[in-house]
Amino acid sequence: VLAAPYHHTAAEVAAALGTDPQAGLGAAAVMRQRATHGHNRLAAAPPPATWRRVAVQFRSTLVVLLLIAAMVSAGLWLLDRQTPAPYEAIAILAVVLLNAAMGYWQQARAEQAVAALQRMAAPHATVLRDGTRVSIDVTELVPGDLMLVEEGGSVSADARLLRASGLQMAEAALTGESLPVMKDPAAIAGEAAVGDQANMLFSGTSATQGHGVAVVTATGMATELGRIATLLQAAPQAATPLQRELDRTGRLIGYIVIAIAVVMIGVILLAQPAQDLRGIVAVFILAVALAVAAVPEGLPTVVTAVLSIGVQRMARRHAIVRRLAAVETLGSATVIASDKTGTLTRNEMTVRRIVLAGGAVEIGGSGYGPDGEFGVATGGVLDTALREDTHRLLTAASRASNATLSEQDGQWRVQGDPTEGALLAAAGKAGLGAAVLAGRFQRLAEVPFTSERKLMTVVDAEIDGAAPAVAFTKGAPEILLACCTLEWAGGATRPLTEARRAAILAANAMLAGQALRSLGIACRPLPQGFAPGQPVNASMEQELTFLGLVGMIDPPREEARTAVALARQAGIRPVMITGDHPLTAARIAAELGIVGTGRVLTGADLQAMSDTALDQAVPGVSVFARVSPEHKLRIVQALQRGGETVAMTGDGVNDAPALKAADIGIAMGITGTDVSKAAADIVLADDNFASIVAAVEQGRAIFANIRKFLRYLLSSNIGEVMTMFLGVLLAGVIGLQGPADGGLTLPLLATQILWINLVTDGAPALALGLDPAGAGVMARPPRPKGESVITPAMWRGIMLVGAIMAVGTLLVLDASLPGGLIEGKGDLTHGRTMAFATLALFQLFNVFNARSDHESAFRGLFSNLWLWGAVLLSFGLSAVAIYLPFMQQAFSTSSLSGSDWLLCTGVASSVLWLREAGKLWSRRGPQSAAAPPPGNEQTKGHGHA
């Protein structure tokens, strides 16, 4: 097979493949080719086994810590057996399994990208073999087969065109080109991108007009589609910022747990060496209790649950999340790299300008609907003569068409060539819809478009027979103009002078400079008596009357312009990456506000650049045009190397590798291919760029809420660790005496701490994840990529709150036991129950502190009613552990009196008042003028959760 078939003539390619250009391959040749090249299918990697999908749920550092704690706890229970069952181990394992189940079901859909690529191929292909036309399964195609392509048919392998008649191919899904591409069998000199290889047909594309014969040059993974499949499989699936941050936090907690356990064990064994196995077991039980206190067991489950809730919220904003951790990542995006066609634009060709002899006319509206106003380009309304000339041109343009428009579910859609659809829509805006003209004209004949002539002509006659038949012609302006001798102006014809020809060509160049695709329109009255069936040929495309030029474009979405502005306000840089023409890309980018007159890089420019040169160029370029799939991937990777968090949007096959490699891949739900959807993290249900910005807002709110419950859970756990640590070290001071055999007495049992972590803390932490977004969430820039989820300021607040909790809990314990600093009368069970109740209440008061490190807890106090419900639920569950007899046995608690509760509540409320005083001081200090860190603001509104 020739390396670059588009460089060679059709005859050379056929000869190289051993194919008869008229009869195709013989049976023996087909067998030889199949033995060499295999079947025409894409290689698919086997889907991951179920056990692998389950195992991935246990890779988090926090989950590993929990599993280690559960195993150690179970081992110590086997040695000691002080309780009927290993409650700590069972509870921890239950949490781990619940988190794994939630993660598995949220992310259960395996990668379907390659399978979707296979589904894009047509099931059958029509070929010539041994001179006979046969229909075969597409997997049976081999290099050298002669493939017949008809209008509306799909192509199932890459092929070199041998013969064509008006063949146009829709290649948007592969190249990003918004318009069908006219195909021409002529050889191409020099290098050409996929979108510019006019003599090649590509697997996964379809014919919108005409027909042709092509010789297959590549099948399976050797096709352009197969090359993309290879890129897609090779593109790494990077961890999201949230996954990386939580893993880093998990490692930090692990180090803290190990350090505390080692220090405590060392101090105890040095101060009071263990004499027997029971003493050693007691020390290790303390280590497990400290581990249980330090590790926030509920954190993985709460993160998963909050992200799941975020998925539901995003779905209401038309963003369907396929990968759970992507919810937060979108809120961290610093760049949105967007495809143009169908994403920033409507993917609907629209006539914007008509150039007539009497002036230029602007047409409003967009898409294929019949709504839009006409006006003079220089301002003002159309006079009668200009209006009549406009109607004459639109009548001719509409009749010289084979497309149809139809309304479905309130949306106007085109069947056929989008360019012809745009002409029909423009005529409809002038009141010359297809039904109106069909009631006036009947078609007598047609001279179809060919790539050689670049013209199309139809012959119509008025139904009432009042006027002779007329030929309506449209085509490339420079070709059509050479066929014209007259010009229509002001309701009459006049000779077409050389000066006027030059002026028309200048106007055509002006339309091209505005990135408008132009067509020329002309007509010619035919001799009286022309009848259906009368021979027609290209000779009637002579001595035409030139009517004018039509300029059209795939217009930008109106809402996309607003969304781009909002993205910029939020500190997010929009970048356009498209396979379309540079002029068109620059024009759309300028209209949307993505770029003014900035530099545009093309695929050819990128091909000549090293990665280093590209890294230097991307910060200053916002528009990339005529790019291939590899180029899109390189751009995304260059942005990432520059420290950007990249959200990549797209809808075509050619977008899939970049979608997968980006930090967050966003596919279009309506116009997107199955391939792009399968490779993406998020799918937009409405294909609306504005929905991306709405999803960014939701992602930022989710991250702010993650910070809130991290602040809450970690401060609570630090309080527990300090309580255990100081309680053991100061046991003699606070009256916490050990048993007679010299063993250790803990201020709280591991089961009691576990109950607080999982039950008391769980519901409030989850409710913090339901806080509504703050008013200024989109007024701040994205958080820096290297910034930790927990900032130094947050750590200071966490440590302060933990210290307050530990001191208050130990004082209540001291006051509940004989001896110590404060004389009490209760036994050890009563004292531990008082400490258990105080620590639980501390955390319920602390949840209101956790909503902000800066704003008062009383600001927007009732904006999240879920939080109040969670606090009441957690209080009730704590009471259950204290009062129900079987729970008293399991958790070693005893009933408390009303005065006991008053003491516990009064001491526990101190965390709220002390933090309020600290926040007030910080707001009045020198730093008060600075904005609080992103994600730490208290919700100011009173919206629902």
Side-chain angles (χ1 to χ4, degrees):
V1 179
L2 295 173
Y6 65 88
H7 281 322
H8 303 274
T9 66
E12 290 171 343
V13 175
L17 291 165
T19 302
D20 183 333
Q22 303 301 323
L25 293 175
V30 169
M31 295 299 293
R32 286 195 303 271
Q33 290 286 55
R34 183 166 301 117
T36 303
H37 299 282
H39 283 83
N40 180 32
R41 60 169 65 101
L42 298 178
T50 300
W51 71 267
R52 289 186 181 276
R53 297 182 207 165
V54 173
V56 79
Q57 308 300 325
F58 296 90
R59 290 194 308 188
S60 163
T61 304
L62 274 173
V63 172
V64 172
L65 279 175
L66 292 177
L67 288 173
I68 293 172
M71 287 188 292
V72 173
S73 178
L76 291 176
W77 177 83
L78 287 172
L79 290 173
D80 195 52
R81 293 185 182 272
Q82 289 188 347
T83 58
Y87 295 121
E88 298 98 328
I90 292 171
I92 293 172
L93 283 175
V95 169
V96 170
L97 291 174
L98 174 62
N99 179 70
M102 292 176 67
Y104 178 86
W105 289 112
Q106 283 289 345
Q107 303 177 45
R109 286 202 292 178
E111 286 290 341
Q112 295 295 324
V114 175
L117 280 163
Q118 289 176 310
R119 289 197 297 271
M120 285 192 64
H124 289 86
T126 302
V127 297
L128 282 176
R129 285 185 176 171
D130 281 328
T132 303
R133 179 181 176 129
V134 293
S135 179
I136 63 171
D137 189 285
V138 296
T139 62
E140 299 300 315
L141 282 171
V142 296
D145 263 327
L146 284 190
M147 187 165 52
L148 308 182
V149 183
E150 307 283 351
E151 182 173 326
S154 296
V155 175
S156 307
D158 288 2
R160 171 65 165 85
L161 196 60
L162 301 181
R163 301 181 291 278
S165 176
L167 181 62
Q168 294 188 26
M169 301 296 296
E171 297 181 346
L174 186 67
T175 66
E177 174 65 57
S178 55
L179 284 174
V181 178
M182 176 58 59
K183 293 297 179 177
D184 187 334
I188 298 172
E191 293 299 317
V194 171
D196 295 322
Q197 293 175 21
N199 57 14
M200 294 293 296
L201 308 183
F202 298 103
S203 181
T205 63
S206 58
T208 60
Q209 185 174 299
H211 55 86
V213 179
V215 58
V216 173
T217 56
T219 57
M221 297 300 286
T223 64
E224 286 295 317
L225 207 59
R227 197 162 52 82
I228 293 172
T230 302
L231 288 172
L232 195 56
Q233 291 172 351
Q237 188 74 68
T240 68
L242 180 61
Q243 288 172 323
R244 292 192 294 266
E245 289 296 330
L246 288 179
D247 212 47
R248 184 163 61 183
T249 301
R251 288 195 299 271
L252 178 60
I253 292 172
Y255 298 147
I256 292 173
V257 168
I258 294 170
I260 291 174
V262 169
V263 170
M264 280 298 297
I265 291 171
V267 169
I268 292 168
L269 292 178
L270 285 173
Q272 191 178 24
Q275 301 298 321
D276 53 19
L277 178 63
R278 185 173 180 81
I280 295 173
V281 169
V283 173
F284 275 96
I285 288 175
L286 170 61
V288 172
L290 284 172
V292 169
V295 177
E297 287 86 356
L299 180 57
T301 303
V302 171
V303 169
T304 303
V306 168
L307 291 177
S308 300
I309 293 166
V311 166
Q312 301 305 316
R313 288 182 171 181
M314 282 189 168
R316 291 196 290 269
R317 307 292 286 269
H318 307 292
I320 301 166
V321 178
R322 295 187 65 251
R323 190 167 162 238
L324 196 60
V327 174
E328 177 275 332
T329 314
L330 189 57
S332 305
T334 58
V335 170
I336 298 178
S338 176
D339 187 32
K340 178 186 73 68
T341 304
T343 307
L344 292 167
T345 66
R346 298 173 59 93
N347 199 19
E348 298 174 337
M349 293 303 293
T350 302
V351 175
R352 283 280 185 86
R353 176 172 287 209
I354 295 174
V355 179
L356 305 161
V361 176
E362 294 284 348
I363 304 179
S366 59
Y368 300 121
D371 301 316
E373 298 296 323
F374 288 74
V376 179
T378 54
V381 298
L382 273 65
D383 58 29
T384 301
L386 200 55
R387 184 179 301 276
E388 288 179 355
D389 289 356
T390 299
H391 284 199
R392 178 176 290 270
L393 178 143
L394 290 175
T395 297
S398 177
R399 294 301 297 172
S401 167
N402 288 317
T404 59
L405 294 179
S406 61
E407 188 177 14
Q408 302 171 12
D409 301 324
Q411 295 289 323
W412 285 87
R413 304 185 188 281
V414 61
Q415 288 80 46
D417 190 312
T419 299
E420 294 185 347
L423 297 175
L424 294 178
K429 294 172 184 178
L432 300 170
V436 173
L437 295 179
R440 178 181 167 190
F441 293 101
Q442 63 174 333
R443 179 171 294 192
L444 304 181
E446 176 183 346
V447 183
F449 182 94
T450 67
S451 57
E452 293 79 17
R453 292 173 26 257
K454 296 185 178 180
L455 300 174
M456 174 192 179
T457 298
V458 300
V459 178
D460 276 6
E462 295 203 26
I463 293 175
D464 60 11
V470 60
F472 296 125
T473 303
K474 74 174 190 298
E478 63 278 7
I479 302 296
L480 182 66
L481 201 60
C483 301
C484 296
T485 56
L486 301 173
E487 178 183 25
W488 187 269
T493 59
R494 67 185 185 190
L496 186 59
T497 64
E498 289 303 316
R500 282 296 301 150
R501 289 180 190 274
I504 292 169
L505 290 175
N508 187 54
M510 181 187 68
L511 293 177
Q514 296 171 347
L516 295 175
R517 306 292 179 95
S518 60
L519 276 177
I521 310 296
C523 67
R524 173 191 174 189
L526 297 179
Q528 193 73 33
F530 188 94
Q534 196 167 327
V536 295
N537 53 52
S539 63
M540 65 174 52
E541 296 170 343
Q542 300 298 322
E543 299 183 356
L544 299 173
T545 300
F546 189 77
L547 300 178
L549 297 170
V550 174
M552 63 188 72
I553 197 170
D554 177 14
R557 293 175 179 267
E558 286 300 320
E559 60 272 22
R561 186 178 289 107
T562 304
V564 166
L566 284 175
R568 286 191 173 281
Q569 176 187 322
I572 302 170
R573 176 179 157 222
V575 172
M576 179 190 290
I577 305 177
T578 179
D580 216 337
H581 193 279
L583 279 176
T584 306
R587 165 73 181 269
I588 296 297
E591 285 196 29
L592 290 173
I594 291 175
V595 67
T597 57
R599 180 185 177 193
V600 176
L601 279 183
T602 65
D605 298 329
L606 294 174
Q607 198 68 36
M609 283 184 171
S610 65
D611 285 346
T612 302
L614 183 59
D615 290 349
Q616 295 172 347
V618 290
V621 178
S622 294
V623 180
F624 299 86
R626 273 288 188 262
V627 295
S628 68
E630 296 96 326
H631 297 148
K632 292 188 177 189
L633 191 57
R634 284 187 67 201
I635 294 165
V636 168
Q637 291 169 340
L639 288 166
Q640 290 171 325
R641 288 193 296 269
E644 306 286 4
T645 299
V646 182
M648 169 75 188
T649 76
D651 58 358
V653 179
N654 59 330
D655 298 321
L659 287 174
K660 187 176 178 182
D663 296 288
I664 185 81
I666 308 169
M668 303 297 108
I670 297 174
T671 60
T673 60
D674 284 347
V675 184
S676 61
K677 294 174 192 175
D681 303 294
I682 291 176
V683 178
L684 292 186
D686 60 354
D687 283 16
N688 195 333
F689 187 84
S691 295
I692 301 173
V693 178
V696 167
E697 180 179 5
Q698 190 62 51
R700 289 189 174 189
I702 289 168
F703 181 75
N705 290 344
I706 287 173
R707 271 188 164 162
K708 291 174 187 178
F709 68 67
L710 279 175
R711 185 187 294 118
Y712 168 64
L713 288 175
L714 292 177
S715 61
S716 298
N717 282 83
I718 292 296
E720 294 164 7
V721 170
M722 288 185 174
T723 299
M724 299 297 290
F725 189 86
L726 296 176
V728 172
L729 289 182
L730 303 175
V733 177
I734 62 176
L736 187 63
Q737 300 300 321
D741 61 3
L744 295 170
T745 301
L746 305 179
L748 287 166
L749 298 177
T751 50
Q752 293 172 338
I753 293 173
L754 199 59
W755 180 268
I756 292 173
N757 280 354
L758 299 181
V759 178
T760 306
D761 290 355
L766 186 58
L768 281 174
L770 295 171
D771 254 11
V777 71
M778 290 298 283
R780 300 187 299 270
R783 68 186 181 94
K785 194 165 188 175
E787 182 182 87
S788 298
V789 176
I790 307 170
T791 63
M794 287 176 66
W795 275 119
R796 289 193 293 271
I798 287 168
M799 299 304 293
L800 174 61
V801 168
I804 295 170
M805 287 183 177
V807 171
T809 300
L810 292 176
L811 285 175
V812 170
L813 177 63
D814 186 4
S816 304
L817 296 172
L821 298 175
I822 306 171
E823 184 63 35
K825 299 179 180 179
D827 58 14
L828 182 58
T829 300
H830 175 74
R832 280 176 172 163
T833 306
M834 289 289 286
F836 171 75
T838 303
L839 193 54
L841 287 169
F842 259 126
Q843 299 187 15
L844 296 183
F845 279 108
N846 182 43
V847 73
F848 296 101
N849 287 328
R851 300 180 76 195
S852 175
D853 264 344
H854 184 78
E855 295 289 346
S856 169
F858 297 97
R859 189 168 188 178
L861 187 61
F862 296 100
S863 62
N864 186 354
L865 296 180
W866 290 102
L867 187 58
W868 284 93
V871 166
L872 293 174
L873 174 63
S874 294
F875 179 77
L877 292 172
S878 297
V880 165
I882 291 172
Y883 288 105
L884 288 184
F886 76 92
M887 296 292 284
Q888 289 177 339
Q889 183 180 2
F891 290 92
S892 300
T893 57
S894 62
S895 299
L896 300 180
S897 65
S899 58
D900 290 336
W901 279 110
L902 283 175
L903 174 61
C904 295
T905 304
V907 172
S909 67
S910 63
V911 73
L912 181 61
W913 311 120
L914 291 173
R915 280 296 283 147
E916 280 297 295
K919 291 178 185 180
L920 179 62
W921 177 263
S922 69
R923 290 196 299 273
R924 290 183 174 179
Q927 70 272 35
S928 62
N936 291 351
E937 288 79 2
Q938 175 69 37
T939 301
K940 298 176 183 178
H942 293 271
H944 63 280

